[in-house]
Amino acid sequence: MKMKKKLVLISMVFMLLLSVSIASFAAEGNLTATLTATADKQNLKAGEEVLITLSLKNISNLTGNGITNITTTIKYDTNIFEEITDGDITSSLLKIYNDNDSTHELSFTTSNGIKEDTELAIIKFKVKESVSNTSTTIKFTNTNVSESGGSLVQISDSEVPLQIGLSNIPEAKLTKIEITKKPTKIAYKIGEKFDPTGMEVTATYDDGKTVKVTDYTYAPITELKETDTVVTITYKEGTITKTAEQKITVNESGTLPQTGITTNIALIIVVATIAVLSLAGIRKYRNI
């Protein structure tokens, strides 16, 4: 029994020492992080702007109160882009630009300490009007990150490839149109004409973009007949034409037909009434 207690005690001491060793080892690990740069578009025209979002991700092995300083060098062709400026971002980080023909440095300082994935800045680059068809990159290099505990680590480079010039920009192709909101009126009297008021038509393109369109046509445009059950909406871009259909009702009263639910309820009431009367009759005969 005593031997078992000794073994249990030794095991507990061993586990305690092991956990302390692991914690000490982890604390001595180097600070790591990743600087990422992403563009809101890859293909640009002369005179167009591009927004580069700079983020710090995959932060680990912090020993202090968090990352307090970040510096990076921005390398871009000054023959292609105008001087860089801030994009639209609200940040507690203090950004310092040192932008000239030889160096383009960006520094961030904060007293709060960064401990998780953080969007650092959105940087705006504008293509010069004189730029012709070309390709280029915007590169973030010589990046250093330090935390309040004193650790310093250099981050791998991050870069964004860009294509500039009209010939490099593929035109998005129209793939379909949809009626995303029905017109206010869908029931007509015979002889009335279709009214598109309130209707919304949305075009979808092969790049995933959707746009509400108004320059569509529809048929029939003449007086409606009772045999007209749909109106065909047509939208054309270049050589591509897409259509969608809107169901309508045309009759003498100009009202929607009664639904099957109303008819079924009336039928249920009739059947139930007959059943009750029949049951009453059966009971009456049984009592004779």
Side-chain angles (χ1 to χ4, degrees), residues 38-228:
T38 55
D40 65 338
K41 61 190 77 172
Q42 245 69 48
N43 298 285
L44 301 165
K45 300 176 184 177
E48 194 173 7
E49 294 177 346
V50 59
L51 298 177
I52 306 294
T53 300
L54 200 62
S55 301
L56 197 64
K57 298 183 177 180
N58 305 321
I59 301 169
S60 63
N61 296 336
L62 292 173
T63 58
N65 295 322
I67 294 169
T68 53
N69 294 282
I70 305 154
T71 61
T72 188
T73 301
I74 310 171
K75 289 189 176 180
Y76 65 95
D77 193 336
T78 54
N79 295 314
I80 296 176
F81 297 102
E82 296 180 1
E83 186 172 326
I84 62 175
T85 57
D86 258 345
D88 297 325
I89 185 174
T90 302
S91 174
S92 61
L93 296 170
L94 174 62
K95 296 180 286 294
I96 303 171
Y97 290 100
N98 175 20
D99 190 30
N100 53 55
D101 290 340
S102 58
T103 59
H104 316 278
E105 295 176 349
L106 179 58
S107 301
F108 303 93
T109 59
T110 176
S111 57
N112 297 330
I114 300 171
K115 298 179 181 179
E116 56 187 18
D117 290 3
T118 302
E119 190 174 280
L120 300 174
I122 296 178
I123 309 169
K124 185 188 296 181
F125 295 79
K126 185 176 181 180
V127 181
K128 293 182 176 180
E129 296 287 350
S130 59
V131 176
S132 59
N133 186 27
T134 187
S135 60
T136 188
T137 60
I138 296 174
K139 191 173 184 178
F140 297 85
T141 186
N142 299 325
T143 304
N144 286 291
V145 175
S146 60
E147 59 174 333
S148 56
S151 299
L152 179 70
V153 61
Q154 188 165 352
I155 307 299
S156 299
D157 296 344
S158 181
E159 64 180 52
V160 177
L162 298 169
Q163 298 290 323
I164 300 170
L166 285 172
S167 61
N168 288 315
I169 305 176
E171 292 290 336
K173 293 183 180 180
L174 178 68
T175 56
K176 67 177 179 178
I177 64 168
E178 297 175 285
I179 299 170
T180 47
K181 186 177 180 181
K182 293 180 180 180
T184 305
K185 186 175 182 179
I186 57 174
Y188 294 86
K189 290 182 180 180
I190 297 171
E192 289 184 323
K193 292 183 178 180
F194 175 70
D195 182 2
T197 301
M199 183 171 67
E200 289 185 359
V201 179
T202 301
T204 301
Y205 298 82
D206 59 1
D207 62 354
K209 181 178 67 175
T210 59
V211 177
K212 290 180 181 177
V213 295
T214 56
D215 51 340
Y216 54 80
T217 60
Y218 58 86
I221 59 173
T222 55
E223 295 179 351
L224 296 169
K225 304 183 294 294
E226 196 166 5
T227 53
D228 292 321

Side-chain angles (χ1 to χ4, degrees), residues 252-285:
E252 292 182 355
S253 62
T255 57
L256 293 172
Q258 290 186 340
T259 62
I261 295 174
T262 305
T263 305
N264 290 339
I265 290 174
L267 181 61
I268 290 169
I269 292 172
V270 171
V271 171
T273 302
I274 294 172
V276 169
L277 291 175
S278 299
L279 184 58
I282 292 171
R283 288 179 177 175
K284 181 179 178 181
Y285 285 115

